[in-house]
Amino acid sequence: MDHSSNTLGALRKSLLDSVAPAVDPNDPLASEQLPLVADYLEFLRTRIYRIHERSRFELGEYLQMAEGVLTRLSVTVGAAVGDLPKQVDAARAAREAASTGTTELLEQGATLAAAVSAVVRDETLPEEVRQALGRWVVESSRELLAFQRSWYAPFGFESSRDRLRSVDDFLAGKSCVTAQ
C-alpha cells in the first residue's frame, strides 16, 4: 500500500508544528517561505495520485497541437517539419500504451512542445505560414491552459475559481465551453 499522501500530510504537520515555531520571526524570507512550502506539500498531497493522469492528458493536448501543425503545413515544406511526424507517432504510441510511465509521458510532452515551437519559429517558412501556425498553437493551447488553471487553482491565483471546470472533468475527457 502506498503511503505517499499520508507521508506528505505528516511532513506538512511536522513543518507547521515543529519547524514553524523555531523560525526566527525577524527573518522575513523564512517567515514568507514556510507557509508556501507547507501549502505546496498540501497541494501535492491532494494531487499526487492524479499526476500520471495529468501527464497523459497534457500529452494528448500536445499531440493535438502537433497534429494540427502538421495538417497546416503543405508537403512542400518538409524540411521545416523535421522530425515532428516521427515524434508525433512516438508520442501517440506512448500515450495509448497503458504501460507508459509518468516520466516518459512528461518527456514525450516536452519533446512535442519543443518540436512544435521549432517549426513555428523556423525562418525558412513564409511569414504568413508562421503566423498561421502561431495562431493555431495559441488556439489549440486553450484547453491545456484551462486545465492548468484548474490544476493550480488551490493556490488562490484565480479570481473566479467557481468559473473553472473541475480537474475531474478534464481528466474524464468532458469538454465544455468555459466563460471567459
Side-chain angles (χ1 to χ4, degrees):
M1 175 177 211
D2 183 55
H3 297 283
S4 298
S5 180
N6 288 343
T7 302
L8 288 167
L11 288 170
R12 181 178 188 273
K13 183 172 177 17
S14 174
L15 184 66
L16 293 173
D17 293 352
S18 301
V19 176
V23 170
D24 181 357
N26 295 318
D27 184 342
L29 186 57
S31 297
E32 173 190 71
Q33 293 298 308
L34 185 69
L36 293 175
V37 171
D39 289 348
Y40 194 80
L41 287 171
E42 177 60 18
F43 169 77
L44 187 56
R45 187 190 68 74
T46 65
R47 296 285 199 249
I48 193 164
Y49 298 119
R50 306 301 302 269
I51 292 172
H52 185 77
E53 291 174 275
R54 179 189 85 178
S55 302
R56 191 173 300 281
F57 172 84
E58 289 178 346
L59 180 55
E61 293 300 308
Y62 288 124
L63 268 167
Q64 181 181 355
M65 183 185 300
E67 289 166 341
V69 165
L70 288 174
T71 62
R72 284 161 176 76
L73 287 173
S74 73
V75 292
T76 59
V77 293
V81 173
D83 288 337
L84 188 56
K86 284 192 274 185
Q87 292 165 338
V88 165
D89 290 342
R92 187 180 301 111
R95 185 172 188 277
E96 292 172 0
S99 62
T100 303
T102 305
T103 301
E104 185 179 350
L105 293 170
L106 291 168
E107 289 169 354
Q108 290 287 341
T111 298
L112 274 184
V116 165
S117 179
V119 170
V120 171
R121 290 181 320 205
D122 188 325
E123 293 184 5
T124 66
L125 292 172
E127 184 62 26
E128 65 274 4
V129 171
R130 287 179 36 211
Q131 288 180 1
L133 291 175
R135 284 190 298 274
W136 163 250
V137 168
V138 168
E139 182 61 34
S140 66
S141 297
R142 291 183 192 279
E143 187 80 350
L144 181 58
L145 178 60
F147 170 74
Q148 290 172 342
R149 287 176 61 198
S150 293
W151 182 265
Y152 291 105
F155 285 111
F157 299 117
E158 293 290 333
S159 60
S160 301
R161 284 179 61 180
D162 57 321
R163 293 174 55 186
L164 297 175
R165 288 171 37 209
S166 76
V167 168
D168 291 334
D169 284 349
F170 285 102
L171 297 179
K174 295 178 184 174
S175 178
C176 70
V177 177
T178 57
Q180 296 296 327

